[in-house]
Amino acid sequence: MGARLRDMIRAIRACKTAAEERSVVKKECAALRTAFNENDQDFRHRNLAKLMFINMLGYPTHFGQMECLKLIASPGFPEKRIGYLGLMLLLDERQEVLMLVTNSLKNDLNHSNQFIIGIALCSLGNICSAEMARDLASEVEKLLQSNNAYIRKKAALCSVRIVRKVPDIAENLLKPATGLLSDKNHGVLISGIKLCTELCRASTVALDHFRKQTAMLVRILKSMITSGYAPEYDVGGIMDPFLQIKILRLLRLLGHGDADSSDAMSDILAQVATNTESNKNAGNAILYECVQTIMDIEAIGGLRVLAINILGRFLSNKDNNIRYVALNMLMRAVAVDTQAVQRHRATILECVKDADISIRQRALELVYVLVNENNVKTLTKELLDYLKSSDSDFKADLTKKICSIVDKFSPNKLWYIDQMIKVMSEAGKYVTDEVTHALVVVISNALDLQGYTVRSLYRSFQHWDGQESLAQATVWCVGEYGEMLVNHTGELETEEPVTVTESDTVDLVERVLKDLRVSPETRAGAVTALLKLSSRFPSCTEHIKGLILQNKGNSVLELQQRSIEFGSILEKHQNLKEGLVDRMPVLDEGIYNAKRYNRTGSDVKIAPSPQQATSNLPNGSEKPVTSGLADLLDLSIDDSAPQSHTSAGDFLQDLLGIGPISSAEALPSSDVLLDLLSLGTVASTSSSSASTSVAPSNPLTQVSPPSADPLPHVGSINGPDLLSQEPGPSATSLLPVQPVNGALNAGSPSTAPASTIDLLNDFGMGVPAAGVAPAFPSIIAFQSKALKLSFDFSKSPEKPSTTLIKATFINLSSTQYTHFIFQAAVPKFMQLHLDPASSSLLPANGGGVISQSISIDNSMHGQKNLVMRLRIGYKVNGQDVLEQGQVNNFPAGL
């Protein structure tokens, strides 16, 4: 017979070790097996109860599954109750044994005892499989129309499980489910609304059917709001909040994408939003569901503003959970009504300073979405002020967001530089190398701000405490523009004056070089900066030489190599130094940002390349516009690259940035290189393999402008990959590559032949004659299985840089698209204007089109072709769909 359930539980709880517990359970399981084999009917229900407790402890109990079926088949209610409870705990829908209980369930569903019917419905609603659902659906459908409210409630909840398992039979339950909506019993009503909600999710037919019942749901909700106090349904002074929430969720489904249903429920939603008290948790739950419903339906603007104001009140609540869900909801509301969310900007900023990390993270994401050109300065100042006092765990995310905001919305380069310096000063170790490189590119292009920048960095560096990014930016600027720091070049009226001597500048770089907190890469940049300062500050040359040679025995190979090479330049090759340490050329901001965008996908500004003169300019000045083919391939070619090359020595001279050497002074290339490195000379046969590694290609540590490879990083075009060679250090690698078709003639300054012009015309380089309005062919800009987008072009002869595009969208699927939105982006040297679309509904099967006018003004017309990224969003059966692409096949001459 074994011990009683109470005694077994007491024995298990008295065990002090897991081994003791396993021993007790093993002994009880053996006794239970014996009892099951002996078919002990008197204590079967007690044995099954003990088996369920053992199952709750995690031990295998499969040997007792058949006992559940025997108890279910018993005539008495106590046995059936234990049997059905064991069925729900010991079995699941994947067990084949479950099929044996179908007949017992069918008999119990037709039983005269309501409680037996109830436990049968409860079991069916918990573990039924798809096969059981199909077999017993008709029985449950009859019970939905029972006269007993208790049975109707249980049947409605069981029907929810049946609909989830077999959505095909949802239409059979529409009529009985509709009848439950008029029930006076709140238990039946809440179960019926849950069933209606599940039916709407499973079937579009059911959704259309229940949209006709919107008025009935509105009446039920209105009666609950206006009715008096009912003690049996009152929760915190609110009439049955559970039922109100269920109704609001069903209304959300019915109003989504349907204007008529949304209009019918707008008034009651406004009443719920204004009359519900928010000082109790039940009231806050109703308000939150009401806001979600308003944001999902086709509500009017005033109702949405009311909903967003409720979320603004939630942000002032002391409960962290309420504030968190409010921030989550505001993230969704930004896409619908940004202006209404902007009114609560101050409260959202306070949440960024909250003690709860999850609230801080969510508030920061929301602030990032709210930033635009009008409020970027205010929000950035607030975030920078908080950056000073924020904890270290949060600083990394905060710094990343601030850098992204400044990069994306900076009104001018002066403000951009100031904010980046502040970020580096406050949280320099959290600033990534990519952000530092972007700042260097901006400084290189801001010719009139270079003096101001180096002085601002110098002032910030006086409080330096090991910030890596600040050290990198400061060392690079001092190396490039150190004389501007001393001579007060380009001083602004609002700038605070600062007096700096040449020795002070060298001391700053020395401080970075000797600080072990910075990385070897930054210290290598400091060595490069010292070499450059030796040319700008002749009086400090000896001091600089001593600092450089101190690292000849450094354990870091890069520092050791630079120290030896640069020391040799200062001691033996003064004639080469001027060319080596000259200021770097202006870095092409547009190309850098384009590559950065393609690499990271981040939303960065694509700045245009500066307008340049056509003559050769000294290093540190703006570069000329690149040639046709190079511009077509989006390459940047240094104007200093020679047109013809007669020897490897000429390539070395160009690499080092020095002028031509007369024939009397000319040396073999290997001799010049080896003499530069103080390695002696070798036979001339080795000249083709001479190589050097003066500095890496990082702009922060670059010594001199490299000789541009005529076609760097160019992939093959319908042929061998002849142009994709990486620029190497050897002299031979600097030779121009001769293309297969002879499009470019290496070593010849003459223009390209006619075949080259034809090749370029194939890639869209042709320009129509002035004064004639050209005709351009239409193109398929984007096409997927579900959507087709075509572009038609037109131009005005008076404005050749402006292109008018008519975009036509065609639906290729059999489903209508709603909430259609088209978005486009172009590089910064283009101006884009989108007119409103002709409609937001796109009929199925090409039964209609949406048209939209686009205007693009290309400030580099004739130099850079049009390129566009596009994003198309729409909804299919209430589900959001997003498609993206890039248009590169614009016709020639646009």
Side-chain angles (χ1 to χ4, degrees):
M1 184 178 70
R4 294 182 300 175
L5 175 62
R6 184 183 308 168
D7 296 334
M8 186 192 74
I9 294 174
R10 186 179 294 112
I12 291 176
R13 289 181 175 177
C15 295
K16 296 182 178 180
T17 63
E20 290 182 25
E21 180 183 295
R22 286 194 296 269
S23 177
V24 172
V25 171
K26 185 177 181 181
K27 187 183 300 183
E28 288 294 335
C29 287
L32 289 174
R33 283 191 177 93
T34 302
F36 292 157
N37 290 333
E38 293 175 354
N39 198 17
D40 188 353
Q41 299 183 7
D42 295 334
F43 298 100
R44 179 175 286 159
H45 64 283
R46 190 179 74 179
N47 292 337
L48 188 57
K50 292 164 65 176
L51 194 66
M52 286 188 284
F53 183 80
I54 293 173
N55 176 265
M56 291 168 61
L57 295 177
Y59 295 95
T61 56
H62 56 278
F63 59 88
Q65 292 176 349
M66 291 303 297
E67 297 300 308
C68 298
L69 304 186
K70 293 177 181 178
L71 285 175
I72 291 173
S74 301
F77 174 75
E79 290 80 9
K80 285 183 178 291
R81 182 175 61 179
I82 295 294
Y84 277 119
L85 182 58
L87 184 74
M88 290 185 282
L89 288 179
L90 305 182
L91 284 83
D92 58 46
E93 61 181 277
R94 296 184 297 272
Q95 301 283 343
E96 295 182 2
V97 180
L98 197 61
M99 297 301 298
L100 301 176
V101 81
T102 303
N103 191 52
S104 296
L105 279 170
K106 186 171 185 178
N107 292 333
D108 288 341
L109 290 177
N110 292 303
H111 204 278
S112 58
N113 189 328
Q114 64 171 350
F115 299 110
I116 291 178
I117 297 174
I119 58 175
L121 287 170
C122 184
S123 299
L124 186 62
N126 276 280
I127 63 169
C128 80
S129 60
E131 293 78 8
M132 292 177 65
R134 290 184 186 277
D135 294 340
L136 301 175
S138 58
E139 306 296 329
V140 177
E141 183 182 349
K142 294 177 185 176
L143 295 176
L144 285 172
Q145 304 174 39
S146 170
N147 296 327
N148 191 316
Y150 174 82
I151 294 177
R152 289 199 303 274
K153 180 180 70 173
K154 295 284 187 179
L157 294 175
C158 181
S159 300
V160 172
R161 170 88 176 195
I162 292 175
V163 171
R164 288 175 181 172
K165 289 296 176 183
V166 191
D168 299 341
I169 64 175
E171 297 179 14
N172 299 337
L173 300 174
L174 291 182
K175 185 177 179 181
T178 306
L180 296 178
L181 296 179
S182 58
D183 205 296
K184 301 299 181 182
N185 186 288
H186 279 212
V188 177
L189 187 56
I190 196 171
S191 303
I193 290 175
K194 176 62 179 176
L195 175 59
C196 295
T197 303
E198 202 64 39
L199 289 170
C200 291
R201 289 173 179 164
S203 169
T204 55
V205 175
L207 183 62
D208 294 335
H209 170 78
F210 284 110
R211 276 176 176 161
K212 300 174 184 177
Q213 310 299 323
T214 303
M216 180 186 297
L217 293 170
V218 169
R219 283 197 302 271
I220 296 171
L221 188 56
K222 188 173 183 180
S223 65
M224 296 180 66
I225 296 174
T226 57
S227 64
Y229 173 75
E232 64 271 25
Y233 302 123
D234 183 82
V235 177
I238 295 176
M239 177 71 165
D240 202 345
F242 304 101
L243 179 56
Q244 291 191 46
I245 288 173
K246 291 292 184 183
I247 295 174
L248 288 170
R249 288 178 180 174
L250 180 55
L251 289 176
R252 188 192 317 164
L253 281 176
L254 301 180
H256 186 72
D258 188 82
D260 294 336
S261 299
S262 299
D263 290 341
M265 65 182 74
S266 294
D267 291 341
I268 189 62
L269 291 176
Q271 291 183 37
V272 172
T274 53
N275 296 336
T276 305
E277 298 180 4
S278 60
N279 55 354
K280 296 290 181 65
N281 197 46
N284 288 328
I286 294 174
L287 287 174
Y288 178 69
E289 290 296 334
C290 183
V291 169
Q292 282 193 303
T293 302
I294 291 172
M295 301 309 295
D296 278 3
I297 68 172
E298 306 299 316
I300 59 176
L303 197 57
R304 285 177 176 161
V305 171
L306 177 61
I308 293 173
N309 289 341
I310 292 174
L311 296 176
R313 293 204 308 268
F314 280 0
L315 293 179
S316 303
N317 199 295
K318 295 180 181 180
D319 192 320
N320 286 348
N321 294 324
I322 294 176
R323 281 187 290 166
Y324 185 81
V325 297
L327 290 169
N328 272 341
M329 196 64 208
L330 285 171
M331 284 289 292
R332 295 172 51 191
V334 168
V336 179
D337 194 341
T338 306
Q339 195 60 39
V341 180
Q342 288 279 5
R343 299 190 186 101
H344 304 282
R345 194 172 59 213
T347 311
I348 297 170
L349 276 171
E350 288 300 318
C351 291
V352 177
K353 306 172 185 178
D354 194 86
D356 191 311
I357 181 64
S358 59
I359 292 179
R360 291 204 304 266
Q361 292 278 9
R362 187 60 67 190
L364 182 60
E365 293 173 5
L366 182 54
V367 169
Y368 181 75
V369 175
L370 290 177
V371 176
N372 55 40
E373 289 81 359
N374 299 323
N375 59 23
V376 61
K377 292 186 177 181
T378 304
L379 290 178
T380 304
K381 182 178 181 301
E382 293 285 347
L383 293 177
L384 282 173
D385 290 342
Y386 177 60
L387 184 62
K388 300 176 183 178
S389 58
S390 61
D391 54 52
S392 57
D393 294 336
F394 189 56
K395 264 189 177 177
D397 291 333
L398 186 57
T399 302
K400 181 180 179 181
K401 291 295 185 183
I402 294 174
C403 292
S404 180
I405 289 170
V406 173
D407 190 32
K408 188 176 180 181
F409 297 103
S410 59
N412 53 66
K413 291 184 177 180
L414 176 61
W415 186 84
Y416 173 88
I417 292 170
D418 285 340
Q419 305 312 308
M420 284 301 183
I421 293 175
K422 290 178 182 178
V423 173
M424 291 177 176
S425 301
E426 297 297 338
K429 69 177 181 179
Y430 300 104
V431 177
T432 62
D433 290 341
E434 185 174 332
V435 173
T436 308
H437 295 169
L439 176 62
V440 167
V441 172
V442 172
I443 296 171
S444 174
N445 284 268
L447 302 180
D448 54 339
L449 296 176
Q450 290 168 350
Y452 168 80
T453 303
V454 71
R455 285 188 294 274
S456 297
L457 285 168
Y458 180 85
R459 280 190 291 267
S460 298
F461 199 82
Q462 302 310 304
H463 308 286
W464 184 64
D465 190 26
Q467 299 96 319
E468 185 85 15
S469 58
L470 181 62
Q472 290 176 349
T474 304
V475 164
W476 186 86
C477 285
V478 167
E480 293 295 320
Y481 318 114
E483 73 280 6
M484 294 184 178
L485 175 62
V486 176
N487 300 332
H488 304 283
T489 305
E491 198 166 53
L492 303 181
E493 295 180 0
T494 58
E495 186 179 348
E496 181 182 348
V498 59
T499 302
V500 185
T501 62
E502 294 179 355
S503 60
D504 292 337
T505 307
V506 176
D507 291 343
L508 181 148
V509 182
E510 179 184 359
R511 183 180 171 189
V512 175
L513 182 62
K514 294 183 177 180
D515 198 310
L516 299 179
R517 292 176 295 179
V518 298
S519 65
E521 290 80 9
T522 305
R523 296 166 67 194
V527 175
T528 304
L530 286 174
L531 178 64
K532 293 197 171 190
L533 290 178
S534 67
S535 176
R536 289 147 174 76
F537 304 149
S539 62
C540 300
T541 302
E542 291 301 321
H543 181 42
I544 291 173
K545 185 191 301 183
L547 292 175
I548 292 177
L549 294 178
Q550 285 178 6
N551 291 279
K552 290 177 65 176
N554 199 290
S555 60
V556 180
L557 183 60
E558 180 70 18
L559 283 173
Q560 183 187 113
Q561 180 182 353
R562 291 194 185 212
S563 298
I564 295 173
E565 293 176 354
F566 295 170
S568 179
I569 292 173
L570 292 174
E571 291 177 349
K572 301 180 181 180
H573 303 284
Q574 290 290 334
N575 59 326
L576 299 178
K577 186 177 71 172
E578 291 301 323
L580 283 171
V581 301
D582 204 352
R583 188 174 299 163
M584 285 180 61
V586 173
L587 304 173
D588 196 313
E589 191 174 3
I591 293 177
Y592 172 80
N593 282 334
K595 291 179 179 178
R596 179 181 170 194
Y597 178 82
N598 292 331
R599 181 173 66 254
T600 64
S602 59
D603 193 6
V604 296
K605 287 189 176 180
I606 309 298
S609 302
Q611 299 298 325
Q612 298 117 341
T614 57
S615 59
N616 288 336
L617 299 175
N619 288 337
S621 303
E622 302 179 27
K623 296 185 295 181
V625 177
T626 54
S627 62
L629 180 59
D631 185 69
L632 170 67
L633 300 175
D634 200 15
L635 305 175
S636 175
I637 300 181
D638 195 345
D639 59 86
S640 62
Q643 295 297 323
S644 62
H645 304 281
T646 58
S647 68
D650 294 333
F651 287 109
L652 181 61
Q653 297 160 18
D654 185 73
L655 173 65
L656 300 179
I658 59 178
I661 302 176
S662 63
S663 59
E665 300 173 347
L667 294 173
S669 64
S670 59
D671 293 346
V672 174
L673 180 61
L674 297 174
D675 185 65
L676 171 65
L677 302 178
S678 300
L679 298 177
T681 61
V682 294
S684 60
T685 56
S686 63
S687 62
S688 63
S689 62
S691 65
T692 181
S693 179
V694 176
S697 61
N698 189 333
L700 297 174
T701 58
Q702 195 162 352
V703 178
S704 62
S707 178
D709 190 27
L711 290 174
H713 308 286
V714 181
S716 61
I717 303 175
N718 298 328
D721 194 11
L722 300 176
L723 304 180
S724 62
Q725 304 297 322
E726 293 291 330
S730 65
T732 56
S733 69
L734 297 173
L735 285 170
V737 179
Q738 179 70 27
V740 178
N741 61 358
L744 295 176
N745 294 322
S748 174
S750 60
T751 57
S755 60
T756 305
I757 304 302
D758 293 338
L759 172 66
L760 299 183
N761 283 338
D762 290 341
F763 284 93
M765 290 299 291
V767 179
V772 180
F776 299 96
S778 301
I779 65 170
I780 303 300
F782 176 85
Q783 184 166 355
S784 64
K785 295 181 180 179
L787 187 68
K788 179 180 178 182
L789 167 62
S790 60
F791 282 174
D792 298 307
F793 306 96
S794 62
K795 266 186 180 292
S796 171
E798 292 79 17
K799 294 183 178 180
S801 63
T802 302
T803 302
L804 302 178
I805 304 174
K806 181 182 178 182
T808 304
F809 303 86
I810 301 176
N811 185 351
L812 304 179
S813 71
S814 58
T815 307
Q816 177 178 265
Y817 298 163
T818 61
H819 298 78
F820 191 93
I821 297 176
F822 171 70
Q823 296 174 307
V826 295
K828 191 178 178 183
F829 60 82
M830 301 181 190
Q831 296 293 328
L832 174 68
H833 176 74
L834 290 175
D835 289 340
S838 59
S839 175
S840 62
L841 297 176
L842 188 56
N845 299 318
V849 300
I850 292 179
S851 60
Q852 191 165 0
S853 298
I854 307 171
S855 173
I856 300 179
D857 186 14
N858 185 1
S859 62
M860 302 189 71
H861 176 65
Q863 302 174 27
K864 287 188 178 290
N865 287 345
L866 296 185
V867 63
M868 179 188 296
R869 287 181 181 271
L870 52 87
R871 182 164 62 181
I872 305 170
Y874 52 89
K875 291 188 177 183
V876 181
N877 295 328
Q879 299 296 321
D880 291 323
V881 178
L882 183 65
E883 299 196 57
Q884 302 184 77
Q886 181 165 329
V887 186
N888 294 317
N889 59 333
F890 284 98
L894 291 179

